[in-house]
Amino acid sequence: MKKTRIIAAVAVAALTMAGLAALPPAAAGHNAGRAGDSGRHQQTAAQQRALRDLALSAGLQVERKHATLPTVKSHGTTVNAANPYLAEVPDPAKVDYHYWARYLQRMSAKQAKRAPLNKAVTPFVYDEKEPSGQFGSNDRQANAERISGFGFGAGKTPAVRIIGQLSPPDVFVDTLATAEDQGAIPLATDTGIPATSQGVEVTSEIGDGPHGSAGDGSGDFDFFKVTAAAGDTIHATTAGSDFDTLLLVYDAAGNILAANDDANGTLQSELTFQAAQAGDYYVMVTGFLSLPNDPFDSGSGTGSDSEGNYDLQITTGGDTDYYAVRLHPGDVLGGTVRGAASDLVVHKFNGAPRVGSFQDASFIYPIQSPLPGGGNAVFGYVAEQAGWYAVSTSIGDGDYRITLEVYRPGSESARRGAKQKIVLDFDGARVNTAIFGGGGVSQLAPLSSFLGRWGLPGSRLNPLIDRVVTTVKENIRDDLVARGLNGQVRVKVLNSRDNPDTFGRPNVSRVIVGGTIAQSGVFTIGIAQSIDPGNYAHQETALVLLDTVSDPDVTNDASFNAYIQPGSNKVRFIGTALGNIVSHETGHFVGSFHVDQFNDVLNLMDQGGNFPLLFGVGADGVGGTADDPDVDFGVDTYNPNEGFTGLEDTLNNTAWAFRPGQ
């Protein structure tokens, strides 16, 4: 029996940590370790698509992993892959999230070093009150340590540096033997946690079972049962394994509750999962990318891919430190953590978890943003209402430093009464696409060039523009006034047909609606220049490219043509769908990340891959009919592929971005 410390690991879809190691050579190809000889297990096209959607919805990637910038071949032209955090990608199955997470961590660290050190406000220091080496006194939001000196107002400072320590308890870890077949929930090896063991350590193999490459080739899975009480935290890690592992947590009904592919800059996996209710949970180890179609059937896998020897540790428990800060409506809270801790979670005053961060993606912020970056985990959060919000950390063992800074929305600093302007450019534009990862200065084709691909005559251009403009005005102005928590939304939506070109002037951003992937040099439908919580950069550009959404191939689900039937109102549907994509890109450069496109919640910040939701296609599967829904900003789950957890209020983010100068 081995004694170890419980150290909470990276949560669902987190791809972070400081000091990323060099990418192992095996990551440059699809397999690592001893690759399965049989490869994909005789899948039909429908089964392959089901695997894609299952993996992506769980926060796992499908694309092979790259050591350098990935490229994509689109209609015979090789172009750069788009940064998926900023882009509405035509096919998320072609995205290498492993590469982009590492890229953002590296570039964010460099940007933080270049950031000015002489900020206007010097943070005051707050020492954690919980004694070193103990835990329990600030482990819940109800007993969070209140930092009353933080914020705006008399006697307060809008920056604080918290010095604390995570002190997880010592536990005894038993060595656990396994035997095949344990490839399904009913066949899972019982860890004995917590009845007979505090934790287990396993040394075993993926590929040795009846369904590995030496067997029928459908894929080898090793399941382990853990019994948990409500609120218990399950930690699992495959650190030390010799191949590209995956870790997943299932409930007793076979639903995927948590997943992780890569952590700590390696091909090994770590995750932490908090049980919402008492019951049996199942930790599964497998190789990238092999998943069971049915977790109750050990022979239902999608192929024996990456195989090899693994080391697995599963434990429960840990230390969590909560700190409370009082915020005003619209306050923009930024945070970063360094040292032994590697996560930060913001909790709303009613206890609901909002953003949980396990990475530093602050490189995505524009250079005008004052929010802090550089660290193991970084977040930007816009407060919905007044109250005591909590910031917690739980992943790690030892001393940490949390920096919190609070600002008012960037639009408030403009001249009194000034409004943000969003210009929709339908005329084509000459733009330097290098800011999006493209090839440089390029001429993008106008909207009129694509009408024929939708079967529209030239006479329908003006009605189509009218519909796009109306949709954008509703999404980023009217809905925000009617439903947002900022009562002073001020934004003008202009367009290149009806208004002079004012891009380049203060408080004017633009969305170019036109061009192709080949012209831009980047594989995307839409892409924004930045993600800007609080809206501090007011002269940015976004692209909405039109070749994919006008593809005549009706089997391409990213094309509007896939949803057009004889009964469709083409102009209404195409104009609404284009307006939604424009609103999506606008949502990025005023502060919102992507949300989960595979759930049933309609949200304008849905990532690509489930296009009927973003396009506003109704239950009949046909666009431009009476059952088409109105897609808006609102509250939804963060996209599980992008290193954040919790709920994102994209309506609130957008509404506070358009508060006029005070």
Side-chain angles (χ1 to χ4, degrees):
M1 193 159 56
K2 179 181 178 182
K3 187 177 182 182
T4 188
R5 300 292 298 280
I6 293 177
I7 303 176
V10 178
V12 183
L15 298 165
T16 64
M17 306 294 172
L20 296 178
L23 186 67
H30 183 72
N31 297 325
R34 190 188 70 244
D37 297 328
S38 60
R40 287 278 167 235
H41 181 61
Q42 300 300 315
Q43 294 182 86
T44 65
Q47 288 173 325
Q48 291 174 354
R49 186 176 182 84
L51 167 65
R52 185 202 77 165
D53 290 349
L54 176 64
L56 293 172
S57 64
L60 302 170
Q61 75 177 60
V62 177
E63 173 68 0
R64 71 184 183 90
K65 300 171 184 179
H66 301 76
T68 57
L69 176 65
T71 58
V72 180
K73 196 164 188 177
S74 175
H75 299 289
T77 301
T78 299
V79 296
N80 290 335
N83 184 334
Y85 290 71
L86 296 165
E88 182 75 15
V89 293
D91 184 358
K94 295 182 179 179
V95 176
D96 181 359
Y97 291 99
H98 176 93
Y99 169 83
W100 287 107
R102 294 169 55 84
Y103 171 81
L104 286 176
Q105 188 82 10
R106 184 174 68 252
M107 298 304 293
S108 296
K110 288 183 179 180
Q111 180 166 284
K113 290 180 179 179
R114 294 194 300 267
L117 299 178
N118 56 341
K119 287 195 172 185
V121 178
T122 300
F124 69 95
V125 176
Y126 177 89
D127 285 316
E128 180 187 10
K129 298 297 187 284
E130 183 177 71
S132 176
Q134 298 184 24
F135 65 99
S137 66
N138 62 356
D139 283 21
R140 294 179 296 114
Q141 186 166 349
N143 57 9
E145 297 184 22
R146 292 195 172 191
I147 306 178
S148 57
F150 176 79
F152 296 115
K156 294 190 175 184
T157 303
V160 61
R161 181 165 295 119
I162 303 168
I163 308 299
Q165 183 183 71
L166 288 173
S167 304
D170 292 340
V171 299
F172 289 96
V173 177
D174 296 308
T175 299
L176 181 67
T178 65
E180 292 292 345
D181 181 13
Q182 53 181 353
I185 286 175
L187 304 174
T189 299
D190 192 345
T191 64
I193 301 174
T196 61
S197 180
Q198 294 177 297
V200 296
E201 197 168 70
V202 178
T203 298
S204 191
E205 182 179 357
I206 291 296
D208 60 339
H211 305 297
S213 59
D216 65 16
S218 62
D220 187 17
F221 315 108
D222 287 359
F223 281 81
F224 299 87
K225 186 176 81 170
V226 178
T227 301
D232 280 357
T233 301
I234 300 170
H235 317 291
T237 174
T238 61
S241 303
D242 66 8
F243 69 106
D244 189 355
T245 62
L246 297 181
L247 274 175
L248 293 89
V249 175
Y250 290 82
D251 65 15
N255 299 304
I256 297 174
L257 303 178
N260 181 251
D261 183 0
D262 305 317
N264 304 316
T266 74
L267 297 175
Q268 277 73 66
S269 312
E270 296 184 65
L271 61 77
T272 184
F273 168 76
Q274 188 173 47
Q277 56 190 19
D280 292 334
Y281 295 87
Y282 299 85
V283 176
M284 187 193 80
V285 183
T286 187
F288 177 84
L289 173 67
S290 183
L291 293 172
N293 285 305
D294 179 359
F296 295 93
D297 178 1
S298 62
S300 67
T302 56
S304 55
D305 291 334
S306 186
E307 298 181 339
N309 300 312
Y310 69 85
D311 295 321
L312 171 69
Q313 185 180 92
I314 304 173
T315 54
T316 60
D319 183 22
T320 303
D321 292 344
Y322 281 87
Y323 303 93
V325 294
R326 188 165 182 82
L327 302 176
H328 299 94
D331 279 356
V332 185
L333 181 67
T336 181
V337 65
R338 294 176 173 85
S342 57
D343 73 312
L344 285 175
V345 181
V346 177
H347 309 260
K348 200 175 176 183
F349 55 83
N350 62 4
R354 291 323 237 195
V355 59
S357 176
F358 307 87
Q359 64 186 354
D360 182 3
S362 58
F363 178 68
I364 277 179
Y365 300 165
I367 58 173
Q368 295 90 340
S369 176
L371 298 182
N376 304 335
V378 174
F379 71 82
Y381 175 74
V382 182
E384 295 93 337
Q385 297 165 281
W388 284 94
Y389 292 74
V391 177
S392 69
T393 185
S394 63
I395 300 176
D397 181 7
D399 297 332
Y400 60 79
R401 303 177 308 283
I402 296 173
T403 298
L404 300 179
E405 299 176 9
V406 65
Y407 300 89
R408 292 302 297 166
S411 55
E412 289 187 4
S413 64
R415 64 178 174 79
R416 187 174 180 83
K419 298 178 182 178
Q420 177 80 42
K421 299 177 181 65
I422 307 296
V423 177
L424 312 186
D425 189 341
F426 301 108
D427 295 339
R430 189 167 177 82
V431 62
N432 185 357
T433 64
I435 62 175
F436 308 107
V441 177
S442 176
Q443 179 66 46
L444 303 181
L447 170 63
S448 58
S449 300
F450 298 87
L451 295 182
R453 289 165 63 92
W454 292 310
L456 292 174
S459 61
R460 304 306 290 163
L461 176 61
N462 282 332
L464 180 61
I465 289 176
D466 290 341
R467 184 64 187 179
V468 175
V469 172
T470 297
T471 300
V472 175
K473 285 181 176 179
E474 177 200 337
N475 289 338
I476 71 168
R477 188 191 66 187
D478 300 347
D479 287 344
L480 306 182
V481 172
R483 298 169 44 234
L485 296 173
N486 170 24
Q488 300 184 52
V489 173
R490 298 290 187 274
V491 58
K492 284 186 177 180
V493 178
L494 308 175
N495 71 86
S496 59
R497 182 194 63 185
D498 301 328
N499 307 104
D501 184 4
T502 56
F503 180 70
R505 297 182 184 177
N507 299 317
V508 179
S509 290
R510 64 175 172 173
V511 182
I512 299 169
V513 184
T516 67
I517 290 172
Q519 289 170 352
S520 70
V522 61
F523 185 68
T524 191
I525 293 172
I527 190 166
Q529 190 171 340
S530 76
I531 299 176
D532 186 11
N535 190 23
Y536 297 98
H538 302 152
Q539 295 166 251
E540 295 202 284
T541 297
L543 305 181
V544 175
L545 305 178
L546 300 180
D547 52 336
T548 297
V549 296
S550 65
D551 189 345
D553 181 2
V554 296
T555 66
N556 180 358
D557 64 349
S559 172
F560 299 157
N561 289 313
Y563 311 100
I564 293 175
Q565 296 294 329
S568 297
N569 183 326
K570 285 187 181 181
V571 167
R572 188 181 73 188
F573 170 61
I574 295 169
T576 300
L578 269 181
N580 286 349
I581 299 172
V582 170
S583 302
H584 175 105
E585 301 309 329
T586 303
H588 276 319
F589 60 56
V590 298
S592 289
F593 287 81
H594 285 133
V595 295
D596 186 358
Q597 74 271 37
F598 289 106
N599 61 21
D600 295 329
V601 179
L602 295 175
N603 195 299
L604 287 167
M605 296 311 299
D606 274 341
Q607 192 193 45
N610 192 4
F611 292 103
L613 269 68
L614 180 61
F615 295 168
V617 178
D620 62 2
V622 180
T625 57
D627 73 339
D628 287 359
D630 180 19
V631 186
D632 295 318
F633 293 110
V635 179
D636 198 357
T637 305
Y638 276 94
N639 185 279
N641 301 95
E642 295 182 3
F644 296 103
T645 61
L647 297 173
E648 183 177 27
D649 189 341
T650 65
L651 175 70
N652 182 63
N653 293 346
T654 311
W656 283 105
F658 296 132
R659 188 171 172 85
Q662 303 298 297

